[in-house]
Amino acid sequence: MKYDILQILGAVLMCFSAQGLIRLLIDHDYNGFLGWIPGGFPALLTAYTVAFAAGVLLTSWSHTRAKALGRRS
C-alpha cells in the first residue's frame, strides 16, 4: 500500500511539474506554484526540471519496489 501511494504522489508531482515546465517555456513570465523561488527564469526552469525528475524517479522506484513484492505484473 505504501508503494501505491508513493507511485501516485510521484505521478502527481511529475504531471504538475511537467505542466509548469511547459508553460514556463512558452511564457517566460509564468511563475506557477514554484513562483516563490527567487532568481527569475533560470531558477524556475531548474526547479521545475528537478521536480519533474524527482517525480519520474519516485514513480519508477515505487513501481519497481511494488513489482518486487508481487503487487505488479
Side-chain angles (χ1 to χ4, degrees):
M1 185 66 161
K2 170 175 67 172
Y3 297 117
D4 299 331
I5 293 171
L6 287 175
Q7 189 173 1
I8 291 168
L9 289 176
V12 167
L13 177 64
M14 184 176 56
C15 290
F16 277 124
S17 59
Q19 183 261 349
L21 184 61
I22 291 168
R23 288 189 67 166
L24 181 67
L25 290 174
I26 292 172
D27 180 14
H28 296 302
D29 294 328
Y30 173 77
N31 292 333
F33 68 96
L34 293 179
W36 55 269
I37 296 176
F41 177 76
L44 283 173
L45 184 65
T46 303
Y48 277 114
T49 304
V50 168
F52 178 74
V56 169
L57 291 174
L58 180 61
T59 303
S60 174
W61 175 80
S62 59
H63 177 75
T64 303
R65 296 297 301 159
K67 195 172 188 179
L69 293 174
R71 294 184 55 89
R72 305 282 188 276
S73 57

